[in-house]
Amino acid sequence: MAFTRAPGKHRRPSRMQRGTVRAAGVAALTGTGVVGSLAAPAFAAEPAAAQTGLTPVVTLGDAVADRVDAQAAAQHEAAREAAEAAARKAAEEEARERAAEEAEEAREEKERAAREAERIRLNTFVSPIPGSYVSTGYKSGGAVWSSGSHTGVDFHAASGTPVQSVGIGTVVEAGWGGAYGNQVVIRMNDGTHTQYGHLSSIAVSVGQQVAAGQQIGLSGATGNVTGAHLHFEARTGADYGSDLDPVAYLRGHGVNL
């Protein structure tokens, strides 16, 4: 076989060669009028194609970026609002807990104050005749007393002087008491009893609750007496013969005589 060209010379035309050939072909076609009507629109469309191929992509990228930014901003705002709401809720819960604790403390303090006030009320004692003094002492001897000695003390008092309960208690006797004349006997809160004799009048009745300092009658000279005064006794029970030292009893309850 014979070759008109040396081997290795059959190569693909270069880009420049292809361009030259394409240009020659176009020129030839243009000369014939075949491409004239087609080439102009084709070349005219190239800028528009370039524009529609690039600008929409850029515009789309900006729109997506704007949406991403808007979403990020919305998420940030939602997170901020959620954090603020959580902080408000925590603060409100803390305030409620603090208010509940303060209310509980106030209730406990009120209960303590009430208990203390009740303790004071139950343990408050006064003299049966404020400002008076003992004119005849406990266990004084003499024929005037059937037992041979005084089972109580006498407080100096003119007839009609107000007589008061020495403490809180319940009236267990109110009326005539023989040698004691008109008398009142009170069972005190601690279980002891106090007696008030020779009264000119009685202001309480059996079963009545009385407080320390409450008036129970007026002093007088009823019963076995030589003059107006108040006979006062402290007893372990309601009856005669269970007497205690009245002055020691009152002083033991904080009364200064």
Side-chain angles (χ1 to χ4, degrees), residues 14-48:
S14 66
R15 181 178 299 176
M16 182 177 294
Q17 291 174 338
R18 292 197 303 272
T20 303
V21 171
R22 184 182 295 118
V26 169
L29 290 174
T30 303
T32 60
V34 175
V35 184
S37 59
L38 297 176
F43 285 109
E46 286 182 1

Side-chain angles (χ1 to χ4, degrees), residues 4-241:
T4 59
R5 185 177 293 184
K9 299 298 183 179
H10 297 281
R11 297 180 179 175
R12 183 178 180 180
S14 66
R15 181 178 299 176
M16 182 177 294
Q17 291 174 338
R18 292 197 303 272
T20 303
V21 171
R22 184 182 295 118
V26 169
L29 290 174
T30 303
T32 60
V34 175
V35 184
S37 59
L38 297 176
F43 285 109
E46 286 182 1
Q51 183 177 2
T52 57
L54 176 61
T55 303
V57 172
V58 174
T59 303
L60 180 60
D62 292 341
V64 171
D66 291 342
R67 284 199 299 271
V68 170
D69 291 343
Q71 290 175 355
Q75 291 172 354
H76 177 75
E77 181 64 18
R80 185 187 64 79
E81 292 177 353
E84 291 179 353
R88 285 195 301 270
K89 183 177 180 181
E92 292 171 356
E93 182 65 23
E94 182 179 356
R96 283 194 296 270
E97 291 178 355
R98 185 167 58 251
E101 290 175 356
E102 291 175 353
E104 180 64 16
E105 290 175 357
R107 184 188 65 79
E108 292 177 354
E109 180 60 28
K110 185 176 180 180
E111 290 180 353
R112 284 193 296 269
R115 288 194 297 269
E116 179 62 15
E118 180 65 6
R119 185 191 68 79
I120 293 173
R121 185 181 74 88
L122 295 176
N123 291 280
T124 296
F125 278 70
V126 298
S127 173
I129 299 181
S132 184
Y133 59 90
V134 174
S135 57
T136 305
Y138 180 58
K139 293 298 184 180
S140 296
V144 69
W145 297 290
S146 60
S147 64
S149 64
H150 201 198
T151 55
V153 295
D154 293 340
F155 281 91
H156 176 78
S159 183
T161 301
V163 175
Q164 60 188 22
S165 173
V166 297
I168 185 172
T170 303
V171 177
V172 294
E173 293 185 32
W176 186 255
Y180 292 108
N182 293 322
Q183 70 167 355
V184 172
V185 178
I186 299 173
R187 183 178 66 249
M188 310 308 291
N189 183 64
D190 62 0
T192 60
H193 291 72
T194 53
Q195 181 203 37
Y196 312 78
H198 308 310
L199 302 176
S200 61
S201 66
I202 296 173
V204 293
S205 58
V206 174
Q208 182 176 340
Q209 299 288 319
V210 293
Q214 180 176 336
Q215 183 174 325
I216 59 175
L218 300 175
S219 64
T222 59
N224 186 14
V225 296
T226 58
H229 67 278
L230 170 69
H231 176 81
F232 174 78
E233 288 189 19
R235 300 172 174 175
T236 58
D239 301 326
Y240 173 84

Side-chain angles (χ1 to χ4, degrees), residues 125-127 134 232 234 245-257:
F125 278 70
V126 298
S127 173
V134 174
F232 174 78
D245 182 344
V247 173
Y249 175 83
L250 290 174
R251 286 176 177 171
H253 287 87
V255 181
N256 294 319
L257 295 176

